[in-house]
Amino acid sequence: MDDDAQQEPVTSGSDKKRADDEHESARAATAEFRIPENVSLTRPDISIRRPATDEAAPESASDDDASEEPAPTPSQGPWYVPLPKPTGEAEEPEEDEKAAAPEAVPAETPAKPESGSAGPTRVEALPVLPPPSQSAPPHSPPAQSAPSQSAPAQFPAVRSSGQWTVPWDGPAPASPAPPALPGPPAPPLEAVAETGAEPKRGRHWLVVVAAALVLVAGIVVGQLARPVPEPSVELALASSHAFPGQAPALPWPSAGQSVVHVDGLGTMGTSGGATPIPTASVAKVMTAYVYLRDHPLKPGEAGPVMTVSPEAAAQIPGRKQRGESILGVTANQQLTQRKALEALMIISANDVAHELARWDAGNAQAFVAKMNAAAASLGMTGTRYTDPSGYHSGTVSTAADQVKLLRAAMNVPAFAEIVNTRAYVPDDGGETREGGNFLLGQFGVVGGKTGYTDAAGGNFVFAARKNVAGVNTLIVGAVMGQKSPTAAGAVNTAGQLVTAAEAALTVATLAPKGARVGRIDDGLGDTTPLRAASPVTVVGWAGLTVPIRVQGDPPREGGPGERVATVTAGAARVPLELGRTLNEPSIVKRLIRLG
């Protein structure tokens, strides 16, 4: 008869417990529940040793162990494994759940008792070692799996492992906390090589190197694509030169206004204030300037031929009656542009001044508007024109404004050529007429314009050139409002002024020929020296400070001796030559530049 089918009479209290114990001892003594001694159960994570005596096991067991598991009896066999008794019946877990659940390792394993011993012998379980990565030996029995944390609280009535079936013993104990399981063991080197964990670090460095190369390539391309700075020229001399001493005292007139100016240096002196006064025929300087600006004439060129209008011829009798200076044009008379301008500036012909205004703008009023616009552009703030000849007393200006105008007009080659002519010679073989500027050819005077009216008095503007130590210096002056019956009084005063001004000029040499006076900076740290093609000489007068500047638009490349810039020292202009070959910035300099 099957032992599992035997029913014990139900009793109460201690009698029931004693009957249960006797029933379990009888079942364990049967062959079905006894494990043969020649069977070897091998588990890699549990090592079992037999104690030498029966008394060792009880002493080593802790109180907690005794409370959790009852000690086995000799009738249960040496390999009896006690399991907690379930509180209810439950089905056996599925095989895949068993495999997935971690192994439950009992704290103590009963050892096989010696024959004739009174009680069971207990052995200590050694620490659980992590399972090796290799597969279990082929003859090892399958390891039992601990219940999964997600398993139900119910426990099965019996537990089967192959040919041995172990009943649950006693009441179901409280579920102990799951033991801390060791982390997954480190995979062997072969597994690392297969999963590619190590090559990830190599790929990381490859990405870093590739990114660095891309960055470097971008920087190189960006540096080379950036425009190269424009070369600049710098001065190696002092930026100014001061002449020692006191300013010169010039022979200024007692009346009117006077100004003497040295081109490139400034005003040497003034007298008489700056109140606008009538200009008389000095206004014709603006008439010639405006006409030549809009109708340029090359030096020595006669220019186009123009026909005198009948209106101009009809005004001649009235002009003679007023005592105006005229050429005496006739209707349909042919005049070249040059001859018309010579008659205007040399013999101060009022009739030609009005005819030039009609040829240019159609009428005198429109031309006068152009004269005033030109005066404003030159900074002539004290000047106002009302007619193209200056005969009208409403045409007023100052000596300082007339100096500004004459300086601008002397830069027009045709104008400078015409005012440096002493007499007017007609093309038709008529009478030659002398001009009013009798200073021409004296004291370096190279041009000028006289003027006189009763309202204006004697006026004169002049230009003189003087070579000072190789420096061509232009002196421009104006004398206005002189109390004289003609313009001659103003011309004589101007002669005294120009003589004194030329005598006051002095010179200083700042650098000899071939001296290094400048340099070209390529913008990337490299410089090329510039040497003076001639001595750097500055002209001035006592008490004057002259600025020294360098000008030029240097090239990116050039050979030694090539002139690429100019030093301006007052009126002096000295060319500068390359001291060595000028090259464009190298690729290395373009790559390492920071700015």
Side-chain angles (χ1 to χ4, degrees):
M1 180 178 180
D2 191 350
D3 293 308
D4 290 336
Q6 292 178 0
Q7 299 294 329
E8 295 283 346
V10 179
T11 61
S12 62
S14 59
D15 294 336
K16 175 178 174 55
K17 185 176 186 302
R18 185 181 306 108
D20 290 339
D21 293 339
E22 292 176 355
H23 175 70
E24 293 299 330
S25 298
R27 291 177 59 191
T30 63
E32 179 181 354
F33 294 96
R34 184 180 301 275
I35 299 175
E37 294 186 5
N38 59 351
V39 177
S40 173
L41 298 179
T42 303
R43 289 187 60 180
D45 54 345
I46 300 178
S47 176
I48 301 177
R49 60 185 178 86
R50 293 183 185 274
T53 62
D54 296 339
E55 293 79 13
E59 293 178 357
S60 63
S62 63
D63 295 339
D64 294 336
D65 295 336
S67 63
E68 292 179 0
E69 296 180 4
T73 61
S75 61
Q76 292 175 327
W79 303 104
Y80 172 75
V81 180
L83 294 175
K85 186 174 182 179
T87 58
E89 295 297 326
E91 295 182 356
E92 185 75 7
E94 297 293 338
E95 291 296 326
D96 52 352
E97 295 181 0
K98 294 180 180 180
E103 294 182 355
V105 182
E108 294 180 354
T109 303
K112 182 179 179 180
E114 296 290 338
S115 59
S117 61
T121 303
R122 304 172 69 89
V123 296
E124 296 180 356
L126 297 181
V128 179
L129 299 177
S133 59
Q134 291 83 357
S135 302
H139 298 293
S140 299
Q144 294 182 356
S145 300
S148 174
Q149 294 181 5
S150 61
Q154 299 295 331
F155 295 91
V158 295
R159 184 170 183 179
S160 175
S161 177
Q163 59 178 333
W164 302 281
T165 301
V166 182
W168 291 103
D169 183 21
S175 300
L181 301 177
L189 296 179
E190 294 78 0
V192 171
E194 291 176 1
T195 57
E198 190 66 28
K200 285 185 178 179
R201 181 176 300 179
R203 286 197 298 270
H204 171 73
W205 284 109
L206 288 177
V207 171
V208 171
V209 172
L213 291 176
V214 171
L215 178 61
V216 171
I219 293 175
V220 170
V221 172
Q223 289 287 73
L224 294 179
R226 289 174 57 191
V228 179
E230 291 293 333
S232 60
V233 60
E234 300 174 354
L235 183 67
L237 299 174
S239 60
S240 63
H241 176 78
F243 288 92
Q246 297 294 322
L250 301 181
W252 302 109
S254 58
Q257 301 176 11
S258 299
V259 174
V260 173
H261 182 92
V262 180
D263 200 29
L265 297 177
T267 300
M268 187 176 284
T270 64
S271 68
T275 301
I277 58 178
T279 65
S281 290
V282 171
K284 293 181 175 71
V285 175
M286 178 62 81
T287 302
Y289 175 75
V290 171
Y291 195 88
L292 284 170
R293 184 194 63 187
D294 296 339
H295 308 276
L297 186 67
K298 294 179 181 179
E301 183 181 26
V305 176
M306 294 168 289
T307 301
V308 177
S309 66
E311 182 182 1
Q315 295 172 349
I316 294 300
R319 296 184 186 282
K320 285 181 178 181
Q321 185 178 2
R322 292 190 295 270
E324 295 184 26
S325 174
I326 60 175
L327 176 63
V329 296
T330 59
N332 299 319
Q333 182 180 354
Q334 302 292 306
L335 289 175
T336 64
Q337 180 178 340
R338 177 173 287 275
K339 283 303 175 181
L341 290 171
E342 286 179 356
L344 177 73
M345 298 303 294
I346 296 172
I347 62 176
S348 194
N350 288 357
D351 54 348
V352 174
H354 284 267
E355 197 67 358
L356 284 169
R358 281 191 288 269
W359 288 338
D360 178 80
N363 57 71
Q365 290 75 18
F367 188 80
V368 168
K370 295 177 68 175
M371 294 171 69
N372 286 316
S377 67
L378 293 173
M380 300 168 63
T381 58
T383 301
R384 179 172 65 92
Y385 293 99
T386 59
D387 70 319
S389 67
Y391 181 80
H392 194 278
S393 60
T395 296
V396 296
S397 186
T398 64
D401 278 359
Q402 289 304 306
V403 167
K404 293 177 182 178
L405 172 60
L406 187 59
R407 288 174 56 202
M410 290 298 292
N411 288 326
V412 180
F415 178 90
E417 189 177 52
I418 290 170
V419 296
N420 198 23
T421 304
R422 294 180 59 89
Y424 173 75
V425 180
D427 286 340
D428 57 3
E431 181 183 359
T432 300
R433 297 169 64 176
E434 292 289 332
N437 183 8
F438 53 82
L439 289 180
L440 279 174
Q442 303 179 61
F443 318 117
V445 175
V446 295
K449 181 68 184 78
T450 60
Y452 176 84
T453 62
D454 293 340
N459 295 336
F460 181 57
V461 293
F462 62 91
R465 294 189 182 277
K466 182 175 180 60
N467 189 298
V468 182
V471 179
N472 190 6
T473 308
L474 177 65
I475 302 172
V476 179
V479 177
M480 298 179 66
Q482 298 304 300
K483 303 302 182 179
S484 61
T486 64
V491 176
N492 288 328
T493 300
Q496 297 173 12
L497 289 174
V498 70
T499 302
E502 290 175 351
L505 294 176
T506 185
V507 65
T509 300
L510 304 180
K513 178 181 179 180
R516 179 175 177 174
V517 298
R519 56 183 170 268
I520 293 178
D521 189 345
D522 65 358
L524 297 179
D526 192 15
T527 59
T528 302
L530 295 175
R531 303 188 182 279
S534 60
V536 180
T537 304
V538 59
V539 174
W541 55 86
L544 177 68
T545 298
V546 181
I548 312 298
R549 300 185 180 91
V550 61
Q551 299 173 332
D553 186 14
R556 296 187 183 277
E557 295 180 312
E562 181 179 349
R563 296 186 176 184
V564 296
T566 303
V567 165
T568 301
R573 305 287 188 273
V574 180
L576 299 183
E577 302 172 343
L578 290 173
R580 60 175 175 82
T581 302
L582 174 64
N583 297 315
E584 288 191 358
S586 64
I587 294 179
V588 174
K589 286 186 174 295
R590 293 172 63 184
L591 287 176
I592 63 176
R593 58 178 162 170
L594 299 178

